[in-house]
Amino acid sequence: DMSSSNQSAFSTGANLSYNESSNITLTIQGENTLIGGNGRDGLQIGADTQLTISEKDAGDSLTLRGGNRGDGLSAGGSTLTIKSGTINAYGGNLGAGIGGNSATIEIEGGTIHAEGGECGVGIGGSNGTITISGGVVEAIGGDPDEENSSPSRGGCGIGGSGCEITISGGVVAATGKDIKSGIEGESFSTGENG
């Protein structure tokens, strides 16, 4: 089960979507799975929306799977804050595990596994901001999709073109595929640590 406050929810083919310009707190309870249809995301946040995710009890989990060309969790143009919980996010072909263009992604805690689909990034997107200050984070870029894309490139673990990345805490492992690096972006810093 999951509960949310101040929500405006509707269906657009994603398993769960939140309308634009909302301020939402999503509380994970137990084990949950959201799977997007073809071309859709597992969980989609509308533009200018702020979503905060936390767990009710230790061990509560949320698994998100995007359909073909869909993200596991799409936060384009929005702000996503993860405070706690176990979150496993998988992008479909060309989709990010957790991401979206111009997204602000803040990870303060929890156990996060995010994996891009073919050519997709683990966590990130173009022109976004990613801040990791806590938690255990594993981000894996997707493999090349040589069958449907030429030339094909894999995905980076964390980042994207024009992305600003700050990692100041937590345990972070980022793996890129093919010619992509674990972390890629416009800028990268370790905050107060360096």
Side-chain angles (χ1 to χ4, degrees), residues 4 9 14 16 24 27 40 43 55 84 91 93 95 159 162 183:
S4 55
L16 179 63
I24 304 145
T27 303
R40 301 297 185 176
L43 173 59
E55 64 187 357
S84 61
N93 183 37
I183 297 174

Side-chain angles (χ1 to χ4, degrees), residues 42 63-67 70-73 88-92 95-98 113-117:
T63 297
L64 304 164
R65 294 186 181 275
D71 299 333
L73 197 166
N88 300 298
Y90 303 91
I98 298 173
H113 176 88
E115 193 166 338

Side-chain angles (χ1 to χ4, degrees), residues 47-167:
D48 300 318
T49 293
Q50 182 168 341
L51 175 65
T52 301
I53 300 177
S54 61
E55 64 187 357
K56 180 180 180 183
D57 298 308
D60 291 339
S61 66
L62 174 61
T63 297
L64 304 164
R65 294 186 181 275
N68 182 43
R69 296 179 179 266
D71 299 333
L73 197 166
S74 178
S78 305
T79 299
L80 167 68
T81 302
I82 300 175
K83 291 185 173 293
S84 61
T86 297
I87 299 175
N88 300 298
Y90 303 91
N93 183 37
L94 303 180
I98 298 173
N101 295 334
S102 301
T104 298
I105 299 170
E106 303 169 345
I107 300 176
E108 300 175 359
T111 301
I112 316 301
H113 176 88
E115 193 166 338
E118 288 86 346
C119 306
V121 63
I123 298 175
S126 298
N127 303 312
T129 301
I130 301 170
T131 303
I132 301 174
S133 58
V136 177
V137 180
E138 181 181 31
I140 302 173
D143 291 318
D145 181 10
E146 297 178 357
E147 181 177 343
N148 297 308
S149 178
S150 180
S152 177
R153 298 289 184 262
C156 65
I158 296 174
S161 175
C163 199
E164 298 181 1
I165 305 155
T166 301
I167 300 175

Side-chain angles (χ1 to χ4, degrees), residues 3 9 11-13 18 25 27 39 42 44 49 67 69 79 104 109 125 136 142 166 170 172 182 189-190:
S3 63
S11 174
T12 61
Y18 287 104
T25 299
T27 303
Q44 182 185 46
T49 293
R69 296 179 179 266
T79 299
T104 298
V136 177
T166 301
V172 180
S189 73
T190 55

